[in-house]
Amino acid sequence: MSSLSQLVAEELGRPVDPRVSDMSQAIAAQHGAAARAVLFYGSCLRSSELEGQMLDFYLIVSSYPAAYGKSWLAPANRLIPPNVFPFEHKGLAAKYAVLSETDFFQLNGPKTLSVSVWARFAQPSRLVWAADERAAAVCVDSVARAAPTLLAAARPMVPDELSDPLQLWREAFALTYSAELRAERGGRAASVVDSDPERYRRFTGPAIEAASLGTLGDGGLLRLEPVSQRHRTSASALWARRRRAGKMLSVLRLMKASGTYAGGIDYLAWKINRHAGTAVEIKPWQGRWPLVGALILLPRLLKRGAIR
């Protein structure tokens, strides 16, 4: 294993609250033999707060037909990944996203305009359930791709030399946050890094080595391989494409969620209010017609700056 894979394996294997493990087993049971692994990530992992929160999981499956049979959910998950479902278990609320092992590996790598998977798994996560050793190994290999993908994508947007490697991570997450519809206040991307700076310092050297980006010197001085102005210009254009594609993908996922996520518009309002400090209220008709309600609500939220 590479040094980065070893770090990832160690982090994925760290213990979690037993209630999280219990919920992960219940999520896996929803999809029977198709379930391969469950990963826990997000704000609840960072804060260790579970009550009154929405826990975040990814369920990795062998294939979409195996997970859903002949349901429309299988092609929907393949065409606009992932499918997202609400889940409640023993007083805790969660949502889980579904990806196949193949898509999870691919979407943690650089050959996608969507930042959503590699941006999330460049952050801490836990492998809270696995069907077998092979399933666990696939998760390690997939997650180990995320941090190099993130930092390589951000590299042309930063100077060639950084006195603090955390600056690279902050800039990288700021770029990914701008490429999705987000409800968080400004500065959220930096707070992700600042919540566990030593973790990101540990990951810097192995991640930039895996991406062939440069070297981490004594005292934390980060010397990156020089890039040309032409490369910086093309990278800036690529990030503009990622922003357009990411926001469009967010809208498409919202439309799809009207068929997979009962009460999804209520969750949307809850998340926006929690992260953006707003007071969005869902009217009864929006609950009855969530797709129409969400599409009408979206432009108003963008105009008010509640989401970006």
mmCIF file with all atom_site columns, all heavy atoms in Angstrom, residues 70-81:
data_model
loop_
_atom_site.group_PDB
_atom_site.id
_atom_site.type_symbol
_atom_site.label_atom_id
_atom_site.label_alt_id
_atom_site.label_comp_id
_atom_site.label_asym_id
_atom_site.label_entity_id
_atom_site.label_seq_id
_atom_site.pdbx_PDB_ins_code
_atom_site.Cartn_x
_atom_site.Cartn_y
_atom_site.Cartn_z
_atom_site.occupancy
_atom_site.B_iso_or_equiv
_atom_site.pdbx_formal_charge
_atom_site.auth_seq_id
_atom_site.auth_comp_id
_atom_site.auth_asym_id
_atom_site.auth_atom_id
_atom_site.pdbx_PDB_model_num
ATOM 1  N N   . LYS A 1 70 ? -35.784 -4.219 -11.338 1.00 0.00 ? 70 LYS A N   1
ATOM 2  C CA  . LYS A 1 70 ? -36.185 -3.587 -12.589 1.00 0.00 ? 70 LYS A CA  1
ATOM 3  C C   . LYS A 1 70 ? -36.797 -2.200 -12.389 1.00 0.00 ? 70 LYS A C   1
ATOM 4  O O   . LYS A 1 70 ? -37.357 -1.621 -13.306 1.00 0.00 ? 70 LYS A O   1
ATOM 5  C CB  . LYS A 1 70 ? -37.180 -4.494 -13.323 1.00 0.00 ? 70 LYS A CB  1
ATOM 6  C CG  . LYS A 1 70 ? -36.567 -5.815 -13.772 1.00 0.00 ? 70 LYS A CG  1
ATOM 7  C CD  . LYS A 1 70 ? -37.571 -6.655 -14.545 1.00 0.00 ? 70 LYS A CD  1
ATOM 8  C CE  . LYS A 1 70 ? -36.942 -7.964 -15.017 1.00 0.00 ? 70 LYS A CE  1
ATOM 9  N NZ  . LYS A 1 70 ? -37.911 -8.799 -15.783 1.00 0.00 ? 70 LYS A NZ  1
ATOM 10 N N   . SER A 1 71 ? -36.698 -1.679 -11.192 1.00 0.00 ? 71 SER A N   1
ATOM 11 C CA  . SER A 1 71 ? -37.260 -0.358 -10.897 1.00 0.00 ? 71 SER A CA  1
ATOM 12 C C   . SER A 1 71 ? -36.574 0.736  -11.711 1.00 0.00 ? 71 SER A C   1
ATOM 13 O O   . SER A 1 71 ? -35.414 0.611  -12.125 1.00 0.00 ? 71 SER A O   1
ATOM 14 C CB  . SER A 1 71 ? -37.100 -0.053 -9.400  1.00 0.00 ? 71 SER A CB  1
ATOM 15 O OG  . SER A 1 71 ? -37.362 1.301  -9.117  1.00 0.00 ? 71 SER A OG  1
ATOM 16 N N   . TRP A 1 72 ? -37.304 1.848  -11.924 1.00 0.00 ? 72 TRP A N   1
ATOM 17 C CA  . TRP A 1 72 ? -36.735 3.021  -12.600 1.00 0.00 ? 72 TRP A CA  1
ATOM 18 C C   . TRP A 1 72 ? -35.571 3.613  -11.825 1.00 0.00 ? 72 TRP A C   1
ATOM 19 O O   . TRP A 1 72 ? -34.772 4.373  -12.376 1.00 0.00 ? 72 TRP A O   1
ATOM 20 C CB  . TRP A 1 72 ? -37.810 4.094  -12.785 1.00 0.00 ? 72 TRP A CB  1
ATOM 21 C CG  . TRP A 1 72 ? -38.280 4.712  -11.496 1.00 0.00 ? 72 TRP A CG  1
ATOM 22 C CD1 . TRP A 1 72 ? -39.280 4.252  -10.676 1.00 0.00 ? 72 TRP A CD1 1
ATOM 23 C CD2 . TRP A 1 72 ? -37.771 5.884  -10.859 1.00 0.00 ? 72 TRP A CD2 1
ATOM 24 N NE1 . TRP A 1 72 ? -39.427 5.058  -9.574  1.00 0.00 ? 72 TRP A NE1 1
ATOM 25 C CE2 . TRP A 1 72 ? -38.524 6.077  -9.663  1.00 0.00 ? 72 TRP A CE2 1
ATOM 26 C CE3 . TRP A 1 72 ? -36.770 6.801  -11.174 1.00 0.00 ? 72 TRP A CE3 1
ATOM 27 C CZ2 . TRP A 1 72 ? -38.280 7.138  -8.786  1.00 0.00 ? 72 TRP A CZ2 1
ATOM 28 C CZ3 . TRP A 1 72 ? -36.522 7.862  -10.296 1.00 0.00 ? 72 TRP A CZ3 1
ATOM 29 C CH2 . TRP A 1 72 ? -37.283 8.023  -9.125  1.00 0.00 ? 72 TRP A CH2 1
ATOM 30 N N   . LEU A 1 73 ? -35.450 3.234  -10.553 1.00 0.00 ? 73 LEU A N   1
ATOM 31 C CA  . LEU A 1 73 ? -34.367 3.768  -9.731  1.00 0.00 ? 73 LEU A CA  1
ATOM 32 C C   . LEU A 1 73 ? -32.991 3.352  -10.245 1.00 0.00 ? 73 LEU A C   1
ATOM 33 O O   . LEU A 1 73 ? -32.012 4.084  -10.059 1.00 0.00 ? 73 LEU A O   1
ATOM 34 C CB  . LEU A 1 73 ? -34.541 3.313  -8.279  1.00 0.00 ? 73 LEU A CB  1
ATOM 35 C CG  . LEU A 1 73 ? -35.755 3.879  -7.538  1.00 0.00 ? 73 LEU A CG  1
ATOM 36 C CD1 . LEU A 1 73 ? -35.961 3.153  -6.225  1.00 0.00 ? 73 LEU A CD1 1
ATOM 37 C CD2 . LEU A 1 73 ? -35.581 5.385  -7.304  1.00 0.00 ? 73 LEU A CD2 1
ATOM 38 N N   . ALA A 1 74 ? -32.904 2.178  -10.874 1.00 0.00 ? 74 ALA A N   1
ATOM 39 C CA  . ALA A 1 74 ? -31.604 1.719  -11.376 1.00 0.00 ? 74 ALA A CA  1
ATOM 40 C C   . ALA A 1 74 ? -31.070 2.609  -12.489 1.00 0.00 ? 74 ALA A C   1
ATOM 41 O O   . ALA A 1 74 ? -29.939 3.123  -12.376 1.00 0.00 ? 74 ALA A O   1
ATOM 42 C CB  . ALA A 1 74 ? -31.702 0.261  -11.823 1.00 0.00 ? 74 ALA A CB  1
ATOM 43 N N   . PRO A 1 75 ? -31.820 2.867  -13.565 1.00 0.00 ? 75 PRO A N   1
ATOM 44 C CA  . PRO A 1 75 ? -31.287 3.785  -14.588 1.00 0.00 ? 75 PRO A CA  1
ATOM 45 C C   . PRO A 1 75 ? -31.125 5.212  -14.078 1.00 0.00 ? 75 PRO A C   1
ATOM 46 O O   . PRO A 1 75 ? -30.215 5.928  -14.512 1.00 0.00 ? 75 PRO A O   1
ATOM 47 C CB  . PRO A 1 75 ? -32.318 3.701  -15.714 1.00 0.00 ? 75 PRO A CB  1
ATOM 48 C CG  . PRO A 1 75 ? -33.548 3.130  -15.100 1.00 0.00 ? 75 PRO A CG  1
ATOM 49 C CD  . PRO A 1 75 ? -33.083 2.241  -13.996 1.00 0.00 ? 75 PRO A CD  1
ATOM 50 N N   . ALA A 1 76 ? -32.002 5.636  -13.158 1.00 0.00 ? 76 ALA A N   1
ATOM 51 C CA  . ALA A 1 76 ? -31.861 6.983  -12.596 1.00 0.00 ? 76 ALA A CA  1
ATOM 52 C C   . ALA A 1 76 ? -30.558 7.123  -11.833 1.00 0.00 ? 76 ALA A C   1
ATOM 53 O O   . ALA A 1 76 ? -29.878 8.156  -11.923 1.00 0.00 ? 76 ALA A O   1
ATOM 54 C CB  . ALA A 1 76 ? -33.049 7.290  -11.685 1.00 0.00 ? 76 ALA A CB  1
ATOM 55 N N   . ASN A 1 77 ? -30.191 6.082  -11.083 1.00 0.00 ? 77 ASN A N   1
ATOM 56 C CA  . ASN A 1 77 ? -28.941 6.125  -10.327 1.00 0.00 ? 77 ASN A CA  1
ATOM 57 C C   . ASN A 1 77 ? -27.729 6.111  -11.255 1.00 0.00 ? 77 ASN A C   1
ATOM 58 O O   . ASN A 1 77 ? -26.712 6.751  -10.984 1.00 0.00 ? 77 ASN A O   1
ATOM 59 C CB  . ASN A 1 77 ? -28.872 4.931  -9.374  1.00 0.00 ? 77 ASN A CB  1
ATOM 60 C CG  . ASN A 1 77 ? -28.119 5.225  -8.093  1.00 0.00 ? 77 ASN A CG  1
ATOM 61 O OD1 . ASN A 1 77 ? -28.453 4.716  -7.028  1.00 0.00 ? 77 ASN A OD1 1
ATOM 62 N ND2 . ASN A 1 77 ? -27.088 6.039  -8.159  1.00 0.00 ? 77 ASN A ND2 1
ATOM 63 N N   . ARG A 1 78 ? -27.859 5.411  -12.373 1.00 0.00 ? 78 ARG A N   1
ATOM 64 C CA  . ARG A 1 78 ? -26.747 5.341  -13.336 1.00 0.00 ? 78 ARG A CA  1
ATOM 65 C C   . ARG A 1 78 ? -26.590 6.646  -14.101 1.00 0.00 ? 78 ARG A C   1
ATOM 66 O O   . ARG A 1 78 ? -25.478 7.134  -14.305 1.00 0.00 ? 78 ARG A O   1
ATOM 67 C CB  . ARG A 1 78 ? -26.974 4.182  -14.310 1.00 0.00 ? 78 ARG A CB  1
ATOM 68 C CG  . ARG A 1 78 ? -25.902 4.055  -15.390 1.00 0.00 ? 78 ARG A CG  1
ATOM 69 C CD  . ARG A 1 78 ? -26.128 2.822  -16.253 1.00 0.00 ? 78 ARG A CD  1
ATOM 70 N NE  . ARG A 1 78 ? -27.456 2.818  -16.872 1.00 0.00 ? 78 ARG A NE  1
ATOM 71 C CZ  . ARG A 1 78 ? -27.764 3.475  -17.991 1.00 0.00 ? 78 ARG A CZ  1
ATOM 72 N NH1 . ARG A 1 78 ? -26.827 4.187  -18.620 1.00 0.00 ? 78 ARG A NH1 1
ATOM 73 N NH2 . ARG A 1 78 ? -28.970 3.402  -18.502 1.00 0.00 ? 78 ARG A NH2 1
ATOM 74 N N   . LEU A 1 79 ? -27.710 7.268  -14.516 1.00 0.00 ? 79 LEU A N   1
ATOM 75 C CA  . LEU A 1 79 ? -27.657 8.463  -15.349 1.00 0.00 ? 79 LEU A CA  1
ATOM 76 C C   . LEU A 1 79 ? -27.346 9.725  -14.547 1.00 0.00 ? 79 LEU A C   1
ATOM 77 O O   . LEU A 1 79 ? -26.620 10.611 -15.019 1.00 0.00 ? 79 LEU A O   1
ATOM 78 C CB  . LEU A 1 79 ? -28.984 8.631  -16.096 1.00 0.00 ? 79 LEU A CB  1
ATOM 79 C CG  . LEU A 1 79 ? -29.279 7.572  -17.157 1.00 0.00 ? 79 LEU A CG  1
ATOM 80 C CD1 . LEU A 1 79 ? -30.705 7.733  -17.667 1.00 0.00 ? 79 LEU A CD1 1
ATOM 81 C CD2 . LEU A 1 79 ? -28.283 7.670  -18.307 1.00 0.00 ? 79 LEU A CD2 1
ATOM 82 N N   . ILE A 1 80 ? -27.921 9.840  -13.338 1.00 0.00 ? 80 ILE A N   1
ATOM 83 C CA  . ILE A 1 80 ? -27.708 11.020 -12.501 1.00 0.00 ? 80 ILE A CA  1
ATOM 84 C C   . ILE A 1 80 ? -27.332 10.540 -11.095 1.00 0.00 ? 80 ILE A C   1
ATOM 85 O O   . ILE A 1 80 ? -28.143 10.543 -10.162 1.00 0.00 ? 80 ILE A O   1
ATOM 86 C CB  . ILE A 1 80 ? -28.965 11.916 -12.430 1.00 0.00 ? 80 ILE A CB  1
ATOM 87 C CG1 . ILE A 1 80 ? -29.499 12.196 -13.834 1.00 0.00 ? 80 ILE A CG1 1
ATOM 88 C CG2 . ILE A 1 80 ? -28.661 13.233 -11.714 1.00 0.00 ? 80 ILE A CG2 1
ATOM 89 C CD1 . ILE A 1 80 ? -30.816 12.948 -13.836 1.00 0.00 ? 80 ILE A CD1 1
ATOM 90 N N   . PRO A 1 81 ? -26.115 10.066 -10.925 1.00 0.00 ? 81 PRO A N   1
ATOM 91 C CA  . PRO A 1 81 ? -25.726 9.552  -9.608  1.00 0.00 ? 81 PRO A CA  1
ATOM 92 C C   . PRO A 1 81 ? -25.469 10.683 -8.625  1.00 0.00 ? 81 PRO A C   1
ATOM 93 O O   . PRO A 1 81 ? -25.055 11.774 -9.030  1.00 0.00 ? 81 PRO A O   1
ATOM 94 C CB  . PRO A 1 81 ? -24.440 8.778  -9.923  1.00 0.00 ? 81 PRO A CB  1
ATOM 95 C CG  . PRO A 1 81 ? -23.864 9.485  -11.123 1.00 0.00 ? 81 PRO A CG  1
ATOM 96 C CD  . PRO A 1 81 ? -25.044 9.950  -11.927 1.00 0.00 ? 81 PRO A CD  1
#
